[in-house]
Amino acid sequence: MSEACRLSGIGRTTAYQMRETDPAFAAEWDEAMQIAMDSLELEAWRRGRDGYDEYVTCKDGLVYDQDGKPVLQRRYSDSLLTTLLKAHRPEKYRDRSTVDMNVNTDIAALIDEGRKRARGG
């Protein structure tokens, strides 16, 4: 948002006011956000599926090969893959933990029993 305002020569406050008062501007804003999100999603897919190069480092800094070039290793993002799978295939990859809030017992009676046991009676 800051960069878009800078490039267009308007302040952030003005942009937000225009979004609130001008439906056409708001629609264009929403379209720009969708384009930006599509771009981010494509990058997430690329990093998760194809990986990305990362310099190998140690406590002394970069690691170099025999020719004096920095060593790169291919990294993949399991967390991005997991997030994308959960988003696009929730029926298969969603978190399955549940909490059953149905209690079919008298909580007050259980508390009383616990207090009696704690007192030794």
Side-chain angles (χ1 to χ4, degrees):
M1 184 61 208
S2 296
E3 184 65 9
C5 287
R6 187 187 69 74
L7 290 171
S8 63
I10 64 171
R12 288 173 55 94
T13 303
T14 302
Y16 280 100
Q17 288 171 346
M18 289 173 65
R19 182 177 184 212
E20 290 297 318
T21 59
D22 184 344
F25 185 82
E28 291 293 327
W29 177 305
D30 292 342
E31 177 64 19
M33 289 301 294
Q34 288 303 314
I35 291 168
M37 291 303 105
D38 289 346
S39 172
L40 290 175
E41 188 173 9
L42 284 172
E43 180 62 10
W45 279 107
R46 188 193 68 75
R47 286 182 181 216
R49 183 192 57 230
D50 302 333
Y52 55 95
D53 290 331
E54 183 176 85
Y55 289 106
V56 176
T57 61
C58 67
K59 65 180 174 122
D60 297 325
L62 288 175
V63 174
Y64 295 92
D65 66 14
Q66 296 170 352
D67 299 325
K69 295 178 184 173
V71 175
L72 291 169
Q73 81 179 29
R74 197 78 172 154
R75 300 287 244 184
Y76 298 87
S77 178
D78 291 343
S79 62
L80 282 173
L81 285 175
T82 300
T83 300
L84 290 165
L85 287 168
K86 286 179 180 182
H88 294 283
R89 298 265 172 94
E91 69 284 353
K92 189 171 184 179
Y93 295 103
R94 72 177 178 272
D95 292 325
R96 300 203 190 296
S97 61
T98 59
V99 176
D100 185 1
M101 299 301 287
N102 296 320
V103 179
N104 296 324
T105 188
D106 183 356
I107 297 295
L110 289 174
I111 292 171
D112 284 343
E113 285 178 32
R115 285 182 180 150
K116 289 177 186 174
R117 281 195 306 270
R119 290 184 198 136

